């Protein structure tokens, strides 16, 4: 069996490249942004491996603020320091902010239209599907995780049951199960 070398690691060429890339990423990412971020940064641009993406996204989720903004700041800072972080941040917010303001004005005018309400429900379903697809795609990175797959699945399923079915507060579940996963991982790594 022939093994292929891993794809070459690429990097942004400049803070301007970061700005343009994150602007285009932000304009694609309404609703299901994690799917777009993963595809762009891992598969298309190859700035991160799948494992690095999972690690970075995990950190971005526990930091205060929007996950994708945190991710942009971390990637920009990794490659170009403060200038890169600010360029990535500007790319994430400038054009989308203008677009959201225009959409808000349009929504205020046409919110009572049944076609608009139906379109928004359809977009929500598509976003949920995209997020689920990324979860399935990134599940392969669990092979390298220190916890056995069964433990990871049990923690994930518990989180779903507690939040979606029993309607526990997300913060309680996040800290409880996230803390449990962290402690278990720590002891498995420590050996």
């Amino acid at each position: 069996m022939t093994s292929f070398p891993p794809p070459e690691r690429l990097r942004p060429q400049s803070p301007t490249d970061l700005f343009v890339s994150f602007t285009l990423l932000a304009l694609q990412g309404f609703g299901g942004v994690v799917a777009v971020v993963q595809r762009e940064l891992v598969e298309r641009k190859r700035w991160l491996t799948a494992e690095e993406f999972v690690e970075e996204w995990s950190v971005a989720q526990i930091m205060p603020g929007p996950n994708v903004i945190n991710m942009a700041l971390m990637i920009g800072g990794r490659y170009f320091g403060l200038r890169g972080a600010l360029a990535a941040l500007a790319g994430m917010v400038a054009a989308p902010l203008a677009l959201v303001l225009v959409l808000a004005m349009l929504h205020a005018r046409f919110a009572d239209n049944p076609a608009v309400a139906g379109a928004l429900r359809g977009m929500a379903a598509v976003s949920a599907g995209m997020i689920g697809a990324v979860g399935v795609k990134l599940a392969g990175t669990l092979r390298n995780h220190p916890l056995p797959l069964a433990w990871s699945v049990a923690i994930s399923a518990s989180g779903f049951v507690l939040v979606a079915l029993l309607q526990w507060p997300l913060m309680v579940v996040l800290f409880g199960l996230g803390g449990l996963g962290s402690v278990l991982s720590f002891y498995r790594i420590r050996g």
Side-chain angles (χ1 to χ4, degrees):
M1 177 181 271
T2 305
S3 67
F4 295 99
E8 178 188 351
R9 166 65 69 83
L10 301 176
R11 58 175 284 143
Q13 300 303 309
S14 66
T16 302
D17 185 17
L18 279 168
F19 174 82
V20 171
S21 297
F22 278 104
T23 297
L24 295 174
L25 189 149
L27 291 173
Q28 297 175 59
F30 280 92
V33 72
V34 69
V36 176
V37 172
Q38 186 274 335
R39 185 186 70 233
E40 290 295 313
L41 298 180
V42 174
E43 296 173 12
R44 195 165 152 269
K45 295 210 175 272
R46 296 193 314 243
W47 291 351
L48 299 170
T49 65
E51 288 79 14
E52 288 172 331
F53 176 81
V54 170
E55 290 171 8
E56 297 273 347
W57 191 256
S58 298
V59 172
Q61 286 183 316
I62 62 169
M63 293 171 55
N67 302 342
V68 72
I69 297 290
N70 295 337
M71 184 83 152
L73 287 166
M74 291 187 304
I75 291 171
R78 170 189 285 191
Y79 291 111
F80 295 103
L82 180 61
R83 281 184 25 226
L86 293 175
L89 174 65
M92 285 301 302
V93 298
L97 176 62
L99 186 57
V100 165
L101 291 174
V102 169
L103 290 174
M105 290 186 296
L106 289 172
H107 184 264
R109 178 168 174 139
F110 299 107
D112 296 333
N113 185 322
V116 171
L120 290 174
R121 279 193 300 278
M123 285 186 248
V126 168
S127 293
M130 289 173 62
I131 291 168
V134 169
V136 170
K137 188 184 290 186
L138 293 176
T141 62
L142 289 174
R143 283 189 301 262
N144 300 330
H145 196 276
L147 291 182
L149 180 61
W151 294 12
S152 297
V153 170
I155 291 172
S156 299
S158 299
F160 175 79
V161 168
L162 291 171
V163 173
L165 303 179
L166 300 178
Q167 298 184 352
W168 280 30
L170 179 60
M171 291 301 286
V172 171
V173 175
L174 181 64
F175 282 115
L177 291 178
L180 174 64
S182 296
V183 169
L184 291 172
S185 296
F186 173 77
Y187 283 112
R188 294 280 299 194
I189 291 170
R190 216 170 121 203

